[in-house]
Amino acid sequence: SIDLRFNDGLGDEGNFLRGPPRRAGVSLLTSGRSLSVGIVETKLHRSLCGKPLCDAILEVDELTEDTLRTVLSMVPTAAEEARLLAFDGDPSTLDSPEQLLR
């Protein structure tokens, strides 16, 4: 397999195809929705040059129409919002998409 050809015996840390191992976080969204929000989060991070989304929203003049449409696509549904608001654990334990929406 391709994994065997690129694994240098160092475990996941040495496999450049997968990158560093990810810690598992608490997921409140469906896997598909979480993946979608994660992709959008990455796209926004690049288009905003690393500026936090909340700062970019407060400085509306820097947001393009495409960026605003992207942000609107991430708005949680009523059911997702209820799950996110009901979470009473440590927010840092949430997966990245859930942290963004919370």
Side-chain angles (χ1 to χ4, degrees):
S1 82
I2 193 163
D3 187 47
L4 292 176
R5 287 186 283 170
F6 288 100
N7 188 347
D8 59 6
L10 298 174
D12 285 339
E13 296 83 13
N15 191 327
F16 68 92
L17 292 178
R18 280 192 295 234
R22 228 179 119 214
R23 78 171 170 83
V26 176
S27 183
L28 304 173
L29 305 172
T30 64
S31 60
R33 176 71 166 147
S34 184
L35 178 63
S36 177
V37 170
I39 291 169
V40 169
E41 180 181 14
T42 300
K43 180 180 177 183
L44 281 173
H45 183 74
R46 287 183 185 145
S47 71
L48 299 175
C49 301
K51 178 183 266 188
L53 180 58
C54 59
D55 291 347
I57 290 172
L58 292 173
E59 301 165 6
V60 175
D61 59 322
E62 293 185 21
L63 295 177
T64 65
E65 185 178 338
D66 183 50
T67 302
L68 289 172
R69 282 193 182 128
T70 301
V71 169
L72 288 175
S73 75
M74 291 190 322
V75 173
T77 65
E80 290 170 341
E81 183 178 7
R83 283 193 301 274
L84 291 163
L85 292 174
F87 179 74
D88 62 357
D90 180 359
S92 69
T93 63
L94 291 171
D95 274 346
S96 182
E98 282 82 352
Q99 288 182 21
L100 179 68
L101 296 181
R102 194 161 192 270

